Amino acid sequence: MGEIEEEILKGIKIADFTWVVVGPLITRYLACFGATVVKIESSRRPDLLRTSRPFKDNKPGLDRSGYFAFLNANKLSIGLNLNEEPGRKVAERLILWADIVIENFVPGVMERWGLGYEDIKKIKPDIIMLRTSNQGQTGPLSTQPGLGPHLIGLSGFSYYSGWPDRDPIGFGMAYTDMIAPPFAVALLIASLDYRRRTGKGQLLDLSQMETAIHFISPNILDYTINGRIGGRQGNRCSYGAPHGAFPCSEKDSWCTIAIFTDEEWERFCGLVDKPWIRDPKFATILGRKRNEDELEEKISEWTINFKASELMGLLQGRGIPSGVVKTSEEVLSDPQLRERNSFWRLDHKVIGPYDHLGQPFKFSDVKAVPKSPAPCLGEHTEYVCRELLGMSEEEFDSLLLSGAFDI
């Protein structure tokens, strides 16, 4: 069956008040499958990602951030001054145009602009509004500000991240920001179906912290059932050994090895073929766990003689779970990802040509279409007003003079 280049969400219109990571990633998923997403921005307080590394040629600029470019492809950008009445009036026009309004500010921000759910429901009764904040819209800590790195600690991830003999460490990225968006997309699709059947809109309150907790549910279950809190294990696993990343011959190259069964261990022994590998203290999983430090040291002395890709091939060829620890360059050139069209070549007005990460899922008869790179700040202000909202040239010029736009 041949692919049909038809946008599955074509006709769905989204007023996007989001910024940083969680909200823009939600709207990016929707935009890549055909929804028209209008991102409301301000040069006075730009999206934090517009000021975040990496920058094109290491030169900072509001339109030069690679991080922003990744999260905002296929969107339109309008610059509005929401602190003034004319700008808020344009925002209300956008809400009247939209099917969905999405925001991820600290609770209360939209209300201060007169754009909370109760306000916009008066403008458009069947509007769907998704609000996703750190800890939800209600509760004693709902208005506590924060970003993904804060939620890593609040959600419990940091406690389990690191080595047993060291303090907890961060993830090096806002990991929880990647968890909430799939939940949000499912909620929005369900709400669109509900509106189609009933004609009613919906307010969706998505707590990023609560979605993140789902990802440490085994630890919560262990405590609930066994009263055990657990702790940091580094790369190790309580029911596997060896289980970690081991050094290889090339500079800063590593290959992971994970052995869980007696059969895998026996195959590993046949490959290593060193006297120490048959030591009785390593013969069982309990023995290998008791002597894990020594085991890892000896395995490292063996793996350092191989290139990472060579070692992975030897291990996988014997049915032993293993994999190369890849750099960004190696991920980008991975033939599997290239075959699946995982990277889209886009040409940004300021950044220039770059590889943009596409969608990790496929439909049989519909595919995501890379329409356009991330917009420059306020790039589509006139287009949105004139073409989508139906403003006359005179009305647009009048709003421009009134200070409604912030570009």
Side-chain angles (χ1 to χ4, degrees), residues 14 201 232 244 343:
I14 299 171
R232 293 174 289 285
F343 301 100

Side-chain angles (χ1 to χ4, degrees), residues 198-341:
T198 68
K200 297 178 181 179
Q202 193 87 219
L203 172 63
L204 306 172
D205 174 8
L206 180 65
S207 163
Q208 295 163 31
M209 180 177 174
E210 291 170 42
T211 62
I213 290 172
H214 283 262
F215 280 56
I216 61 165
S217 55
N219 305 89
I220 294 173
L221 180 64
D222 195 19
Y223 175 73
T224 302
I225 302 300
N226 302 315
R228 189 164 46 208
I229 292 179
R232 293 174 289 285
Q233 300 184 72
N235 288 325
R236 291 179 177 178
C237 173
S238 58
Y239 51 91
H243 190 285
F246 297 89
C248 296
S249 59
E250 301 144 302
K251 182 181 178 181
D252 197 24
S253 64
W254 307 80
C255 184
T256 59
I257 303 172
I259 292 178
F260 302 100
T261 68
D262 291 340
E263 292 77 14
E264 289 170 350
W265 175 250
E266 185 59 34
R267 292 196 293 270
F268 185 65
C269 291
L271 177 62
V272 174
D273 196 25
K274 297 284 185 181
W276 59 264
I277 201 75
R278 296 294 181 180
D279 191 314
K281 64 186 174 186
F282 298 141
T284 66
I285 179 62
L286 293 178
R288 293 194 294 278
K289 291 299 294 182
R290 280 193 297 266
N291 300 279
E292 200 159 12
D293 288 340
E294 181 184 354
L295 177 65
E296 289 184 350
E297 182 179 346
K298 290 186 176 297
I299 291 175
S300 295
E301 293 171 355
W302 175 73
T303 61
I304 198 67
N305 299 294
F306 298 89
K307 292 183 177 180
S309 58
E310 174 191 10
L311 180 58
M312 179 183 71
L314 289 171
L315 292 164
Q316 289 186 357
R318 287 162 174 77
I320 299 167
S322 63
V324 171
V325 178
K326 292 183 178 181
T327 64
S328 297
E329 180 182 11
E330 290 168 328
V331 170
L332 192 62
S333 61
D334 187 291
Q336 171 70 12
L337 297 175
R338 287 289 173 182
E339 173 66 24
R340 286 178 58 81
N341 192 33

